[in-house]
Amino acid sequence: MELIPKHIAMIMDGNGRWAKKRLLPRAVGHVKGAANVRSIVQACSDHGVEYLTLFAFSTENWRRPEDEVSTLMDLFIQYLDKEVSEMKDAGIRFRIIGDRSVFAPSLQERIARAEQETSHNSKLNLTIAANYGGQWDILNATRLWALANPTLPISSLEPSAISEYLSTCGLPDPDLLIRTGGESRLSNFLLWQMAYTELYFTDTYWPEFGSAELRGVIEWFGKRVRRFGKTDEQVLGEN
Ligand code: FPP
């Protein structure tokens, strides 16, 4: 039987270059990118992937021109308005990770409603990282731990305690990361959580990353031997 990654994380890169190649405004690339989110969510669900985490907006993306930031925020709102009822029917549980306190109150309300209305679903856990940074997550987790344990010395802080206070608490670590758009870096995504994740980089721009390529990446993943620090012999002996 094919080994399906339980949790796939994706860095959706290349919207701007997809548009530029067609002499279109960058915003059009983001619109196409948002439409592709919908098809990839469906494709992952069809494959039996249980967790999908998408990097939509990093803590560094605020540095982009104001009109581009506002296009991305509008797309996000439209996505929530359009997709939540379908997510409810399709068994998708929606979550946001990242510092949402800086978002407009109306966006924060929509996010809270989407999370609440889909909280009973479990077929696919869709997590969108918005205003997210891996370093922010680790720092925040450490601070939360210290606040919750004021009498404990810092030397008693264990990796498992950090995981407990990360924004991804309750989600398994990603098995597979897919980054589109030709760059081979993590860009401050799930730094702690991806310590043992298989990394797959493709030149395809996000708007063109379709279900056929996804199937190919899942097949590639199925052929990996995941050692988690052990030897090949130890791992093969366990199977
Ligand atoms: C990277 O492309 C993409 C982003 C910074 C944003 C990703 C957003 C979407 C796919 C649409 C909105 C998301 C949702 C969930 C509705 P880039 O602009 O960095 O492309 P470039 O590297 O080619 O310039």
Side-chain angles (χ1 to χ4, degrees):
M1 212 181 72
E2 196 186 6
L3 181 64
I4 301 290
K6 187 171 179 161
H7 184 175
I8 303 184
M10 293 192 190
I11 300 179
M12 310 180 287
D13 198 11
N15 293 345
R17 280 164 290 158
W18 179 90
K20 194 172 172 200
K21 209 170 84 182
R22 288 164 180 76
L23 308 177
L24 294 166
R26 290 177 61 82
V28 178
H30 291 312
V31 171
K32 277 295 267 188
N36 198 39
V37 168
R38 189 192 157 93
S39 356
I40 289 297
V41 168
Q42 181 63 53
C44 283
S45 182
D46 293 345
H47 277 292
V49 172
E50 291 174 55
Y51 297 85
L52 175 64
T53 302
L54 304 174
F55 205 8
F57 197 83
S58 74
T59 42
E60 290 75 30
N61 284 151
W62 296 107
R63 297 180 196 145
R64 293 192 174 202
E66 212 175 297
D67 62 335
E68 182 163 343
V69 171
S70 95
T71 299
L72 285 166
M73 292 299 150
D74 288 348
L75 278 171
F76 198 23
I77 291 175
Q78 283 170 27
Y79 183 82
L80 290 174
D81 287 350
K82 253 183 27 206
E83 304 292 331
V84 172
S85 66
E86 286 191 32
M87 287 196 266
K88 278 202 294 199
D89 296 340
I92 296 173
R93 178 167 184 178
F94 177 85
R95 288 185 184 89
I96 286 286
I97 52 169
D99 180 5
R100 60 181 79 181
S101 65
V102 292
F103 292 143
S106 63
L107 178 52
Q108 288 190 46
E109 276 161 32
R110 280 176 166 92
I111 291 171
R113 205 174 328 127
E115 287 181 330
Q116 201 271 323
E117 288 181 7
T118 62
S119 62
H120 302 298
N121 287 344
S122 58
K123 180 166 169 34
L124 174 71
N125 290 273
L126 171 64
T127 303
I128 306 272
N131 195 26
Y132 178 86
Q135 293 177 346
W136 163 83
D137 206 3
I138 296 167
L139 188 61
N140 195 48
T142 314
R143 287 179 176 155
L144 290 173
W145 176 87
L147 280 173
N149 299 284
T151 57
L152 291 183
I154 191 74
S155 57
S156 66
L157 177 57
E158 297 286 344
S160 59
I162 294 199
S163 300
E164 216 177 290
Y165 286 97
L166 287 170
S167 60
T168 47
C169 174
L171 309 179
D173 288 342
D175 302 293
L176 169 66
L177 168 80
I178 302 174
R179 179 174 185 145
T180 61
E183 310 289 357
S184 310
R185 52 176 175 252
L186 298 181
S187 297
N188 200 13
F189 195 22
L190 303 162
L191 298 180
W192 179 275
Q193 299 87 337
M194 294 205 295
Y196 289 102
T197 299
E198 298 290 332
L199 309 178
Y200 189 94
F201 300 102
T202 170
D203 287 338
T204 307
Y205 295 144
W206 173 254
E208 288 172 328
F209 182 79
S211 53
E213 189 168 357
L214 175 68
R215 195 175 327 112
V217 184
I218 291 177
E219 278 165 21
W220 171 87
F221 173 83
K223 297 189 191 104
R224 306 276 92 205
V225 179
R226 305 188 70 206
R227 288 191 289 272
F228 297 99
K230 298 179 183 172
T231 64
D232 262 346
E233 289 70 24
Q234 283 176 304
V235 174
L236 294 171
E238 286 165 7
N239 293 328

